[in-house]
Amino acid sequence: MSEAVVLNLVLWLPVVGALLIPLLPRERDAPVYTLAFAVMLVQLLLVIWLFVRFESGVSGLQFATQIPWIAAWGVAYHIGLDGLNLLLVLLTALLGPLVVAGAVRTITHSVKLFYAMLLVLQFAMLGTFLAQNLFLFYLFWEAMLIPMFLIIGIWGGERRIYATVKFVLYTAFGSIFMLVAVIYLGLAAHAAQGAPSFAFSDLYALELALPVQTLLLLAFTLAFLIKIPSIPLHTWLPDAHVEAPSPGSVMLAGVLLKMGAYGFLKLGLPMLPEAAKLFTPVLMSLAVASIIYGALLAWVQDDIKKIVAYSSISHMGYVMLGLLSYELLGIQGAIMQMVSHGLISAGLFFMVGMLYERTHHRELAVFGGLAKWMPVYALFFMLLALASVGLPTTSGFTGEFLVLLGAFYGAWPAFVQGESHYALILASLAVLGVILGALYMLRLVRRLLFGPAQAPGGQPADLSRRERMILATLVLAIFTLGIYPKPFLHKTEQAALDYQRLLLEPTPAQEGL
């Protein structure tokens, strides 16, 4: 079986699972859970096999499939793996079975619909990462909205309708401008090449005037900043996280928040390089502002879920900072930070959900001393909190250290030559986010795990075997990326070099990422 066939199986397996779910017996939930878990597990095993087979040091796509779809428009079913999406596909596949396992007790009604929507969401997210045709990318980008809308709106908390409407309005608003940019690029490719095309490789080769690039990048930037989310477009995130069920929060923080940064990485910056250079100071300023402001907001929250939600704004700011450094270390650090944040935030949202299942409370003020009653819970919470802070040997350290190193490397030449101090100042301010991150996470740990033991409803039970397996898997991945990141960095190095070259030395003949 060729790798291209396997990659197509990876993408379409969730659809098959979602179509089979309605055929299962109505009176029992176990077959539904078993089917969803089996589909996600097989998908993960196939992705691991593709990861092993992926050749390092090779430019361009691997395991690609390209089939004409709407030839008159230049639309094709074109998917493939490269160093930019490989780790994100692996992250998405890893979280899939864990979310299914974590939803067993959380989802108690409309079980079939929930797992069907979870599988459809998995399909849409993977499709967004794998798509190599801009029109196809946009279809998957929009398709993600539907299952997440239902997951929050049906299984969410008391204010789920408000949170869902806000989430949809923000996302749809950005998508409208993005659609205009997609259509324009398709028309521009037709005019330049004599044939319609939405292929990334063709769009990278377009020579567009700076004013046109600027308008297009503005359209993409609005859509991508909302998805990241970056300030001042972040206000939908806390509401969505607080009202979403725990599995929805895990998918939202673990994967969906990466879509905006991936959009900049794959589309916005390399496709419009001259405008990207023009926008760099503004985008870097927003990234650093998000790092600091997100950390400050997390510091003053009393809802545990909001603390983790606002911390995501801060951590995703590092991703943008790394991408905008235009340095190899910073670009690779941004990719590692996306994966690291996906693992850590997923673990923390799992733990918040586990505590909520036992106590039906999330207010930090009503908890204390849980380490005495729930020692295993406390151990995992400490490990995840320290990873979030960026403790050496964890993935949090690997991602943030590489991002900061890349940011300083990128800023230093201009500083030495006396051209500009601005980038160096921003890189220095970004370090403040590490300090603030330690403050709000250690505050959370101290108040939740230590002091006099207290919890609503009395002593809660410690973690079950199923919950321990979920968290142990995430912790193992976090320490693997922290202790020995070389194999993962090696897989992304060539794509990061190609991305850097496309930004700094764009040429029409250059092959796509």
Side-chain angles (χ1 to χ4, degrees), residues 71 115 176 208 227 232 241 302 319 334 337 353 358 392 434 439 458 513:
Y115 284 111
I176 291 172
L208 300 172
K227 262 300 201 302
H241 268 311
D302 286 320
V319 175
Q337 177 68 2
R358 289 162 168 78
V434 178
L439 288 176
L513 295 178

Side-chain angles (χ1 to χ4, degrees), residues 417-429:
Q417 296 171 14
E419 296 175 0
S420 173
H421 299 173
Y422 189 63
L424 187 64
I425 292 172
L426 289 178
S428 302
L429 288 174

Side-chain angles (χ1 to χ4, degrees), residues 92-116:
T92 307
L94 176 62
L95 291 183
L98 299 182
V99 170
V100 173
V104 172
R105 292 188 178 180
T106 305
I107 306 303
T108 57
H109 67 89
S110 304
V111 175
K112 281 189 177 183
L113 180 60
F114 173 81
Y115 284 111

Side-chain angles (χ1 to χ4, degrees), residues 31-54:
V32 181
Y33 160 79
T34 303
L35 174 61
F37 185 80
V39 168
M40 295 289 201
L41 184 59
V42 171
Q43 184 187 66
L44 172 60
L45 294 176
L46 292 176
V47 170
I48 292 173
W49 187 78
L50 289 174
F51 177 82
V52 174
R53 298 283 295 173
F54 187 88

Side-chain angles (χ1 to χ4, degrees), residues 120-121 123-125 127-128 134-149 167-180 182 223-224 227 256 259:
V120 172
L121 178 62
F123 165 71
M125 293 188 302
T128 306
L134 184 56
F135 193 90
L136 187 66
F137 173 90
Y138 183 80
L139 289 182
F140 280 121
W141 177 278
E142 290 299 289
M144 290 186 296
L145 184 63
I146 300 171
M148 183 53 70
F149 169 82
F167 167 65
V168 170
L169 288 177
Y170 267 77
T171 307
F173 179 73
S175 296
I176 291 172
F177 294 95
M178 181 177 169
L179 177 60
V180 174
V182 169
F224 296 155
K227 262 300 201 302
L256 261 72
M259 297 299 173

Side-chain angles (χ1 to χ4, degrees), residues 368-372 374 377-379 381-382 444-451:
L370 292 185
K372 299 177 183 178
M374 308 170 70
Y377 181 93
L379 172 63
F381 199 95
M382 278 292 300
L444 172 60
V445 166
R446 178 182 63 82
R447 295 183 61 180
L448 184 66
L449 302 182
F450 301 105

Side-chain angles (χ1 to χ4, degrees), residues 165-288:
V165 171
K166 192 173 183 179
F167 167 65
V168 170
L169 288 177
Y170 267 77
T171 307
F173 179 73
S175 296
I176 291 172
F177 294 95
M178 181 177 169
L179 177 60
V180 174
V182 169
I183 294 172
Y184 183 90
L185 284 169
L187 295 174
H190 192 178
Q193 302 165 13
S197 177
F198 284 95
F200 287 167
S201 56
D202 292 334
L203 299 181
Y204 291 141
L206 289 177
E207 292 184 297
L208 300 172
L210 181 58
V212 175
Q213 287 195 31
T214 301
L215 291 174
L216 292 174
L217 187 56
L218 277 172
F220 279 121
T221 296
L222 182 61
F224 296 155
L225 288 182
I226 289 173
K227 262 300 201 302
I228 288 178
S230 171
I231 63 168
L233 304 171
H234 67 285
T235 58
W236 64 269
L237 180 68
D239 293 312
H241 268 311
V242 168
E243 299 305 323
S246 294
S249 291
V250 170
M251 281 302 196
L252 184 59
V255 184
L256 261 72
L257 295 192
K258 313 303 174 290
M259 297 299 173
Y262 179 74
F264 276 115
L265 176 65
K266 188 72 177 179
L267 301 178
L269 301 182
M271 203 172 285
L272 307 163
E274 297 305 317
K277 295 172 186 176
L278 186 65
F279 277 40
T280 294
V282 176
L283 291 176
M284 284 188 71
S285 300
L286 288 175
V288 174

